[in-house]
């Protein structure tokens, strides 16, 4: 398996303003929808070395598609840009169809999809307490959608008597909530909205089972491979373990946002049996705060980088980062940013040391308002080094207040030197390495000339001054070539039709459009149809048809009551959206049939024509 590089595929423009969108009156009307923007850049990301893309929350938020609709104020767990709710069908990022197409293009480029799950709270409820959540169904009916909620789904934050309106008096805090330890009947210390009671909700299991089912549904719909878990300090670890070990998520990678600077505390949450029992990784906030100090503290000691942060004690469960959507925009949470001219040195550390590095979209992209014109060449080079050279444990080779040198001891080996002084070049004598005697070494950053080890395997190392953040070198043996890029994958997506979802069930005498899939030319399309035939009559049948962009029928199959699970195969002859349709035949006028259409197809690697 290739070493991995995670890309955070979104950013914020200010505290409560998401990425550009044509629905935002402050943005140009010709701004692309974000799902299309990512699809248009997928091939470039894969070529640069990205192996997985973290999407912003895909579900409909309280604010619909407004500027503040970052997605973390989740409203409906079964609306991913397909229902007329919160004043819009699309989310801030686009429609379900655009999202499905993006997912398929990411997979065609060999990129894994990381879903951002907000499991702590819900917003947008109605009623006198604001805790009544009803959702539209597939026919647009109010309060007909799946997984509705009321006050018994949320725990009380107050031990006071009487309990304030809107909080059920008998729903105490769930077990194993990091922020809720020792606080009887009080939820997370950070209150983002009505807190879901994952364990103690009434009836028992309603919230936990409902959330697990919803996560599994969106995972199937998009063919997702991994999860980012928002604000895990407010969510029961008992529930999170159940979610990540359930059938839909079992074996998939997950990383939690545990916002704390204490590496031991986060590592305990990761590893302890009563917490996550090593089923989940975590973002390395302790290392982030160390890198922030390297950027801003004139007295910072570079020796503190030696096995710093969570990655220093548990590298296989640490996701390292230099910036994210909150640290870049929330001065109420972080007093300073790591400035653009300081970021290269920080990225040089996370992209050569241990842990799974996460690159921030705004740092990588050359889009207006992003920093790619300055940082992208640096990141592409460091990502190449990460993918092709950086392997094995890290071993410290030199450290003082200004310089830190370490060696990755796996594979071809990699010797990394970091110098934070902005004007002084450092010359180090007799730096021990594991390369052996008389070994030529090449600096793969181009910052310093080639060198050679002596008879004892030591080197004379020159590290340039940290002008514009470029005070680093990365030495290894000459002639290292590129590894094979990840292979493109078929998308394997499931479209479920039911009255309480967003795709209607099949109905007697009607032809229903299920979904459009974005296919590459001359590519195979495979599908299977599942349904429950228990109330079918002898003449009942479902006919499934694949329609080409020009309206021609590519393939069709009629399913009788004994054909559940049978397949249909076709070939997409042109690039573009191909439409799945279903028609039900039954003598009963009111006959309906829920179904599940699992389809496998290959998308093109680029968004060739967004409108077709």
């Amino acid at each position: 398996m290739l070493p991995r590089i995670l890309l955070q595929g979104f950013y914020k423009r200010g505290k409560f303003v998401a990425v550009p969108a044509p629905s935002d009156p402050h943005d140009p009307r010709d701004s692309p929808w974000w799902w299309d923007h990512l699809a248009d850049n997928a091939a470039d990301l894969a070529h640069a070395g990205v192996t997985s893309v973290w999407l912003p929350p895909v579900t409909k938020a309280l604010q619909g598609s407004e500027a503040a609709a970052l997605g973390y104020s989740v409203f409906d767990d079964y609306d991913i840009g397909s229902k007329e709710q919160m004043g819009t069908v699309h989310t801030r990022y686009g429609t379900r169809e655009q999202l499905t197409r993006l997912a398929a293009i990411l997979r065609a480029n060999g990129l894994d999809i990381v879903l951002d799950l907000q499991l702590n709270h819900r917003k947008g409820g109605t009623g006198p307490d604001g805790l009544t959540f009803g959702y539209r169904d597939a026919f647009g009916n109010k309060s007909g959608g799946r997984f509705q909620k009321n006050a018994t789904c949320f725990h009380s934050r107050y031990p006071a008597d009487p309990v304030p309106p809107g909080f059920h008096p008998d729903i105490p805090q769930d077990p194993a909530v990091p922020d809720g330890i020792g606080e009887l009947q009080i939820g997370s210390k950070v209150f983002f909205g009505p807190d879901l009671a994952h364990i103690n909700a009434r009836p028992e299991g309603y919230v936990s089972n409902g959330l697990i089912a919803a996560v599994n549904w969106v995972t199937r719909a998009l063919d997702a491979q991994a999860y980012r878990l928002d604000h895990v300090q407010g969510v029961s670890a008992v529930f999170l373990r159940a979610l990540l070990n359930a059938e839909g998520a079992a074996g998939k990678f997950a990383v939690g946002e545990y916002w704390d600077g204490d590496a031991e505390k986060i590592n305990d949450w990761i590893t302890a049996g009563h917490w996550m029992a090593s089923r989940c990784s975590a973002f390395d906030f302790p290392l982030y705060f160390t890198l922030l100090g390297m950027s801003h503290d004139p007295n910072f000691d570079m020796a503190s980088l030696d096995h710093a942060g969570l990655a220093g004690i548990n590298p296989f469960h640490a996701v390292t980062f230099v910036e994210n959507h909150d640290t870049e925009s929330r001065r109420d949470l972080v007093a300073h940013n790591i400035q653009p001219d300081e970021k290269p040195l920080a990225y040089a550390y996370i992209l050569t040391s241990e842990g799974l590095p996460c690159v921030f979209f705004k740092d990588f992209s050359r889009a207006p308002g992003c920093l790619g014109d300055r940082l992208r060449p640096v990141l592409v080079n460091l990502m190449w080094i990460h993918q092709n050279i950086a392997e094995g444990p890290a071993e410290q080779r030199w450290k003082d207040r200004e310089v830190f040198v370490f060696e990755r001891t796996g594979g071809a080996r990699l010797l990394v030197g970091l110098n934070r002084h902005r004007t002084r070049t450092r010359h180090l004598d007799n730096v021990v390495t594991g390369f052996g005697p008389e070994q030529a070494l090449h600096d793969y950053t181009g910052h310093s000339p080639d060198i050679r080890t002596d008879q004892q395997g030591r080197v004379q190392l020159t590290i340039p001054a940290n002008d514009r953040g470029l005070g680093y070198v990365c030495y290894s043996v000459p002639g290292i070539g590129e590894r094979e890029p990840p292979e493109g994958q078929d998308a394997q997506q499931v479209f479920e039709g039911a009255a309480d979802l967003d795709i209607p069930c099949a109905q007697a005498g009607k032809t229903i459009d299920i979904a459009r899939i974005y296919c590459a030319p001359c590519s195979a399309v495979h599908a299977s149809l599942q349904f429950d035939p228990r109330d079918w009559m002898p003449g009942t049948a479902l006919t499934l048809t694949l329609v080409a962009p020009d309206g021609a029928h590519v393939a069709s199959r009629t399913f009788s009551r004994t054909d559940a699970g049978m397949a249909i195969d076709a070939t997409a002859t042109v690039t573009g959206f191909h439409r799945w349709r279903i028609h039900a035949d039954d003598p009963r006028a009111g006959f309906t049939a829920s179904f599940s259409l699992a389809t496998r197809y290959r998308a093109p690697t680029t968004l060739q024509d967004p409108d077709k």
Side-chain angles (χ1 to χ4, degrees):
M1 180 178 179
L2 280 172
R4 297 176 299 172
I5 295 177
L6 173 63
L7 178 92
Q8 179 175 357
F10 62 103
Y11 61 97
K12 293 197 295 191
R13 301 173 297 161
K15 186 175 180 180
F16 295 119
V17 182
V19 297
S23 60
D24 192 327
H26 300 94
D27 292 323
R29 293 297 299 271
D30 60 352
S31 297
W33 289 102
W34 192 249
W35 298 145
D36 291 344
H37 183 66
L38 286 180
D40 207 31
N41 285 272
D44 177 57
L45 296 176
H47 180 73
V50 172
T51 56
S52 51
V53 178
W54 161 18
L55 302 181
V58 300
T59 42
K60 185 69 60 67
L62 165 67
Q63 302 92 345
S65 64
E66 296 175 4
L70 306 174
Y72 293 102
S73 298
V74 175
F75 173 65
D76 185 350
D77 297 272
Y78 287 93
D79 183 353
I80 55 176
S82 52
K83 302 181 189 179
E84 179 68 58
Q85 297 184 125
M86 295 298 161
T88 179
V89 172
H90 49 72
T91 68
R92 173 74 183 188
Y93 309 108
T95 63
R96 173 176 180 166
E97 186 173 87
Q98 291 168 308
L99 174 59
T100 300
R101 176 172 59 187
L102 164 64
I105 290 175
L106 291 174
R107 298 303 290 142
N109 284 283
L111 297 171
D112 286 346
I113 299 163
V114 183
L115 296 180
D116 196 327
L117 303 181
Q118 168 49 265
L119 302 165
N120 178 74
H121 59 272
R122 292 294 175 265
K123 282 190 173 182
T126 60
D129 54 11
L131 297 180
T132 300
F133 288 78
Y135 311 115
R136 292 189 183 274
D137 63 16
F139 304 102
N141 299 313
K142 294 182 178 180
S143 300
R146 188 172 295 186
F147 194 28
Q148 303 189 47
K149 305 169 187 70
N150 58 32
T152 64
C153 297
F154 302 91
H155 68 255
S156 169
R157 287 178 47 81
Y158 300 90
D161 186 19
V163 175
F167 296 96
H168 198 283
D170 300 321
I171 310 294
Q173 173 63 295
D174 296 320
V177 176
D179 272 0
I181 295 176
E183 300 181 40
L184 180 63
Q185 294 189 352
I186 301 179
S188 170
K189 296 173 185 175
V190 180
F191 185 63
F192 293 107
D195 294 312
L196 287 163
H198 305 90
I199 306 300
N200 291 330
R202 309 279 180 81
E204 182 178 355
Y206 179 78
V207 167
S208 59
N209 293 337
L211 285 173
I212 290 171
V215 170
N216 289 345
W217 173 81
V218 73
T219 300
R220 293 190 299 270
L222 299 179
D223 187 20
Q225 287 70 50
Y227 308 102
R228 182 259 186 187
L229 309 177
D230 187 69
H231 186 51
V232 296
Q233 285 146 290
V235 182
S236 167
V238 175
F239 163 72
L240 289 178
R241 291 199 308 270
L243 168 68
L244 296 179
N245 292 323
E247 181 178 357
K252 289 182 167 63
F253 175 80
V255 54
E257 182 205 32
Y258 196 119
W259 191 299
D260 199 290
D262 187 333
E264 293 291 347
K265 180 188 291 186
I266 299 176
N267 191 50
D268 183 59
W269 177 82
I270 292 170
T271 60
H274 62 283
W275 294 117
M276 294 307 298
S278 296
R279 178 58 187 89
C280 188
S281 296
F283 283 102
D284 198 340
F285 278 93
L287 177 61
Y288 164 76
F289 291 123
T290 299
L291 298 175
L292 191 64
M294 183 176 71
S295 172
H296 287 277
D297 183 1
N299 298 312
F300 180 82
D301 186 353
M302 290 291 282
S304 64
L305 290 178
D306 189 1
H307 289 85
L310 178 63
I313 57 178
N314 190 350
F316 295 107
H317 287 98
V319 177
T320 58
F321 66 99
V322 170
E323 196 83 279
N324 68 28
H325 59 294
D326 283 325
T327 63
E328 67 144 344
S329 63
R330 298 287 301 273
R331 299 286 67 81
D332 55 327
L333 299 175
V334 182
H336 307 283
N337 286 111
I338 299 177
Q339 295 302 308
D341 279 353
E342 297 290 343
K343 283 184 175 181
L345 190 66
Y347 272 115
Y349 183 80
I350 73 164
L351 284 164
T352 59
S353 60
E354 295 182 83
L356 165 61
C358 180
V359 173
F360 188 43
F361 185 91
K362 192 172 183 179
D363 293 339
F364 182 86
S365 174
R366 288 194 171 105
C370 294
L371 302 175
D373 285 342
R374 165 73 180 87
L375 296 178
R376 180 187 166 98
V378 170
L379 289 173
V380 169
N381 171 247
L382 290 169
M383 291 161 69
W384 186 95
I385 292 170
H386 175 86
Q387 291 293 73
N388 293 284
I389 312 177
E391 294 183 53
E395 187 170 341
Q396 177 269 129
R397 296 302 190 188
W398 185 289
K399 58 183 178 181
D400 60 33
R401 296 195 66 83
E402 292 181 357
V403 166
F404 179 58
V405 180
F406 65 96
E407 184 176 342
R408 296 294 297 275
T409 58
R413 292 180 173 267
L414 175 67
L415 184 68
V416 179
L418 309 172
N419 174 17
R420 73 180 298 262
H421 200 286
R422 295 190 178 187
T423 60
R424 182 164 53 238
T425 298
R426 287 295 301 273
H427 303 282
L428 308 179
D429 294 329
N430 300 318
V431 177
V432 175
T433 79
F435 286 104
E438 299 296 334
Q439 173 64 58
L441 297 177
H442 175 68
D443 177 20
Y444 282 87
T445 70
H447 294 172
S448 290
D450 291 356
I451 57 176
R452 180 178 293 272
T453 63
D454 64 15
Q455 287 293 331
Q456 288 74 44
R458 297 171 300 186
V459 293
Q460 311 300 308
L461 195 63
T462 298
I463 313 175
N466 192 37
D467 178 37
R468 294 166 297 149
L470 301 178
Y472 58 89
V473 292
C474 297
Y475 280 99
S476 190
V477 298
I480 294 176
E482 294 192 23
R483 301 189 186 197
E484 290 294 323
E487 293 185 4
Q489 302 291 324
D490 291 347
Q492 301 185 66
Q493 298 169 339
V494 180
F495 300 94
E496 301 177 37
D500 61 349
L501 290 176
D502 59 340
I503 299 173
C505 49
Q507 302 157 63
K510 293 184 178 180
T511 299
I512 302 295
D513 284 340
I514 300 173
R516 295 199 302 172
I517 57 174
Y518 195 65
C519 301
C522 304
S523 61
V525 180
H526 174 87
S528 62
L529 189 67
Q530 294 283 357
F531 48 84
D532 183 354
R534 283 178 294 182
D535 64 343
W536 285 28
M537 298 180 67
T540 301
L542 297 177
T543 300
L544 182 66
T545 303
L546 182 65
V547 182
D550 63 0
H553 286 197
V554 178
S556 184
R557 176 167 185 165
T558 298
F559 295 78
S560 67
R561 63 188 304 165
T562 59
D563 292 335
M566 300 299 287
I568 178 174
D569 290 285
T571 299
T573 57
V574 297
T575 300
F577 274 124
H578 290 63
R579 187 185 305 272
W580 282 113
R581 288 176 171 164
I582 194 167
H583 181 89
D585 287 302
D586 190 279
R588 296 163 291 181
F591 171 79
T592 62
S594 298
F595 62 86
S596 176
L597 172 65
T599 183
R600 184 179 71 244
Y601 63 99
R602 179 66 63 94
T605 56
T606 58
L607 185 57
Q608 299 180 14
D609 189 340
D611 299 321
K612 293 183 179 180

